[in-house]
């Protein structure tokens, strides 16, 4: 299947890949050629989370990218549940433009043991987030084509560490539609085919 995806990308295709922590799939065999790796642990945060569930991260740190237009606003939060780290390799292939998209808070960490512990804390050897080096939770890749194909000059890929972020329950916040999550997710699918002009600024979170 990976060869089919590579051929699709070589013609200017676009992909959205949503992984999961502790995934047993071989997706990293495909992602390594894109300069990325999805790690096995789950990212937990005892402080910046939603309704005291340390698996549901409140993401407020966004890179400078078209998808993130308006998300850098301090009152804008994206809920990202049950996510893995999406790591950019140290030296991605030169023909790729690889960028982390959003990050965990400075007190989060990658839990490699059971996530159901009563009050888990980072153990020695587990990777911790920080203000200077936050854990990346998603990434985007652009691949320039050797020649335009049907008007396209590049292939585009988005990789998330959380498939759960796309579930219906993540579109509801305190009994109401979570328009921030909904619009932010839609903006990924506006960027992928090259419709940046349709990217909207998600509404601010009250307060």
């Amino acid at each position: 299947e990976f060869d089919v995806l590579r051929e699709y990308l070589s013609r200017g295709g676009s992909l959205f890949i949503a992984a999961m922590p502790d995934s047993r799939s071989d997706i990293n065999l495909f992602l390594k050629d894109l300069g990325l790796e999805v790690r096995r642990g789950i990212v937990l945060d005892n402080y910046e989370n939603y309704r005291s569930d340390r698996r549901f991260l409140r993401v407020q740190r966004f890179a400078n990218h078209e998808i993130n237009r308006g998300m850098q606003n301090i009152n804008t939060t994206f809920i990202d549940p049950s996510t893995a780290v999406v790591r950019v390799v140290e030296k991605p292939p030169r023909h790729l433009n690889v960028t982390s998209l959003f990050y965990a808070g400075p007190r989060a960490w990658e839990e490699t043991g059971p996530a159901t512990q009563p009050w888990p804390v980072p153990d020695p050897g587990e990777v911790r987030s920080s203000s200077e080096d936050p854990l990346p939770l998603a990434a985007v890749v652009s691949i320039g084509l050797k020649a335009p194909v049907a008007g396209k000059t590049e292939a585009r890929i988005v990789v998330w560490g959380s498939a759960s972020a796309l579930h219906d329950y993540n579109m509801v916040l305190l009994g109401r539609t979570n328009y921030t999550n909904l619009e932010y997710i839609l903006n990924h699918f506006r960027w992928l085919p090259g419709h940046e002009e349709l990217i909207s600024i998600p509404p601010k979170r009250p307060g």
Side-chain angles (χ1 to χ4, degrees), residues 15-202:
L15 291 176
F16 185 98
I17 299 172
M20 296 176 64
D22 199 30
S23 173
R24 303 292 175 175
S25 74
D26 294 327
I27 190 63
N28 280 327
L29 296 177
F30 175 69
L31 293 179
K32 68 178 183 179
D33 293 335
L34 301 175
L36 296 173
E37 175 195 20
V38 175
R39 293 175 58 89
R40 293 283 297 278
I42 184 173
V43 180
L44 302 180
D45 194 324
N46 287 327
Y47 300 92
E48 295 186 25
N49 57 50
Y50 175 59
R51 306 195 78 173
S52 300
D53 190 331
R54 60 187 63 88
R55 299 168 300 171
F56 281 62
L57 307 185
R58 288 192 296 112
V59 176
Q60 293 180 292
R61 293 158 183 83
F62 299 89
N64 183 19
H65 190 275
E66 291 167 310
I67 291 175
N68 291 337
R69 188 182 303 164
M71 294 300 290
Q72 293 89 344
N73 186 296
I74 194 169
N75 285 327
T76 301
T77 298
F78 172 63
I79 308 299
D80 193 24
S82 302
T83 184
V85 172
V86 179
R87 187 180 72 91
V88 178
V89 300
E90 291 185 9
K91 294 183 178 180
R94 296 182 64 180
H95 67 288
L96 304 179
N97 184 0
V98 187
T99 306
S100 293
L101 199 57
F102 53 82
Y103 305 89
R107 291 181 286 186
W109 78 97
E110 182 190 24
E111 177 61 55
T112 56
T116 54
Q117 304 169 57
W119 189 257
V121 295
D123 295 324
E126 291 182 331
V127 180
R128 303 187 186 206
S129 190
S130 68
S131 297
E132 297 76 22
D133 188 20
L135 292 176
L137 308 176
V140 292
V141 182
S142 299
I143 308 174
L145 304 182
K146 296 180 180 179
V149 178
K152 294 183 178 180
T153 59
E154 64 180 14
R156 294 180 170 185
I157 306 99
V158 172
V159 181
W160 279 11
S162 173
S164 299
L166 300 170
H167 288 186
D168 289 346
Y169 63 72
N170 205 39
M171 305 303 160
V172 178
L173 183 66
L174 300 178
R176 298 181 178 181
T177 301
N178 186 342
Y179 287 106
T180 298
N181 273 22
L182 179 60
E183 284 295 329
Y184 185 53
I185 290 170
L186 288 175
N187 283 345
H188 289 70
F189 292 96
R190 292 162 177 151
W191 177 81
L192 280 169
H195 296 310
E196 290 87 349
E197 73 280 1
L198 299 179
I199 291 177
S200 64
I201 299 176

